[in-house]
Amino acid sequence: RLYRRLQRLNIEIDPSQIIEEEASWIPLGGPLPTVPQPVLGFGAAAGLVHPASGYSIVNSISRAGPIADAIVSGLEKEEGRRVDEAWTELWNAEQRRKMAFYQFGATLISKMDLSLLQEFMRTFYSLPAPLWKGFLSHKLSSPMLLALAASMFFLGKNELRSALISELASKEGIKMFQAAVAPVYAEPREKLVDSFAVKRQEPRQEPLKGVFRRGQVALGTIPSGYTRRNDES
């Protein structure tokens, strides 16, 4: 993508002058905050990161007003933990249902090979614009997210349908349903952490650079942004 952009700007890059190629791996999503706890988080610190896109800022800003009102209301309390109301507003039942769906989707696409991922993206962006834009912007309600999933199923090819059904029947699908119905406040804390924590090192995930490069080479194409070296077969 970078090379195509440079080409449109008439900027030439001599491949022999490239010292190093670098790729980054940024984990997205993760477990929801454990509550109750005395310190209120917000933004990425409170899990307001879209697992599929990595977007966080717009969603955080859009929710700042209601959270501020809940903080003010909590400060007026004479008894009890003052942050509880804000935590409840931050991760109420509807928000947890939506995040469970996002995490399920992120896990699903992380398991796809390149050809299936391309089919997934083609199907996703062929949906009505309000659906796919609403998904990426956190604006869809949980019933509308179900409508999006149903549309993906009916519009997708059999291979994509099979992947969706298989993932629903897996432990990740079960985790999605559990997260959707779990109470905001759960005791003991250790059980909540064990149930929904994401263990990123078990097993360690391969960087996407290698996954995409291997898939594209298998399809007879070269990853955009990378130049074939003379010593590559």
Side-chain angles (χ1 to χ4, degrees):
R1 185 178 300 171
L2 173 62
Y3 277 72
R4 291 197 299 267
R5 185 173 299 174
L6 291 173
Q7 186 177 18
R8 285 196 297 269
L9 296 173
N10 295 320
I11 299 175
E12 296 184 2
I13 300 295
D14 182 359
S16 65
Q17 299 301 312
I18 299 176
I19 299 174
E20 183 180 23
E21 294 179 349
E22 183 176 297
S24 298
W25 176 41
I26 305 175
L28 304 177
L32 300 184
T34 300
V35 292
Q37 58 174 293
V39 179
L40 178 66
F42 191 67
L48 298 182
V49 179
H50 199 306
S53 68
Y55 296 165
S56 164
I57 296 176
V58 173
N59 181 43
S60 299
I61 293 175
S62 67
R63 301 193 59 197
I67 300 301
D69 292 340
I71 292 173
V72 171
S73 178
L75 290 174
E76 295 173 349
K77 289 183 177 180
E78 295 183 359
E79 298 181 357
R81 201 192 305 266
R82 294 181 175 180
V83 299
D84 286 359
E85 190 170 339
W87 272 121
T88 302
E89 173 63 31
L90 191 63
W91 284 113
N92 54 45
E94 171 65 1
Q95 294 299 329
R96 285 184 289 104
R97 284 192 291 267
K98 291 168 63 175
M99 181 55 72
F101 185 92
Y102 296 148
Q103 291 176 332
F104 172 83
T107 302
L108 172 66
I109 63 176
S110 70
K111 296 179 179 179
M112 294 179 174
D113 59 26
L114 185 62
S115 61
L116 184 56
L117 181 59
Q118 290 173 334
E119 169 61 21
F120 180 94
M121 291 303 178
R122 280 192 293 267
T123 305
F124 179 78
Y125 286 109
S126 68
L127 297 174
L131 280 181
W132 65 261
K133 289 183 178 180
F135 175 84
L136 294 175
S137 62
H138 290 266
K139 293 181 179 179
L140 291 185
S141 64
S142 54
M144 288 304 297
L145 288 174
L146 293 178
L148 181 147
S151 299
M152 289 285 293
F153 182 85
F154 288 112
L155 291 176
K157 296 181 179 179
N158 288 336
E159 187 179 7
L160 179 57
R161 294 172 183 168
S162 177
L164 288 169
I165 294 174
S166 177
E167 193 64 20
L168 278 173
S170 72
K171 65 177 183 179
E172 295 299 331
I174 296 173
K175 185 186 293 185
M176 177 182 66
F177 291 115
Q178 289 176 333
V181 301
V184 175
Y185 294 92
E187 294 290 352
R189 180 181 187 279
E190 291 74 14
K191 289 186 178 180
L192 184 70
V193 173
D194 289 342
S195 297
F196 302 113
V198 175
K199 299 179 175 61
R200 301 191 187 281
Q201 305 298 327
E202 299 180 5
R204 184 178 178 85
Q205 291 180 283
E206 180 182 0
L208 286 180
K209 172 188 175 182
V211 175
F212 278 91
R213 188 175 185 83
R214 188 170 58 253
Q216 288 186 299
V217 168
L219 292 176
T221 61
I222 298 299
S224 58
Y226 292 92
T227 301
R228 182 187 290 276
R229 304 296 190 183
N230 293 332
D231 57 347
E232 288 184 347
S233 59

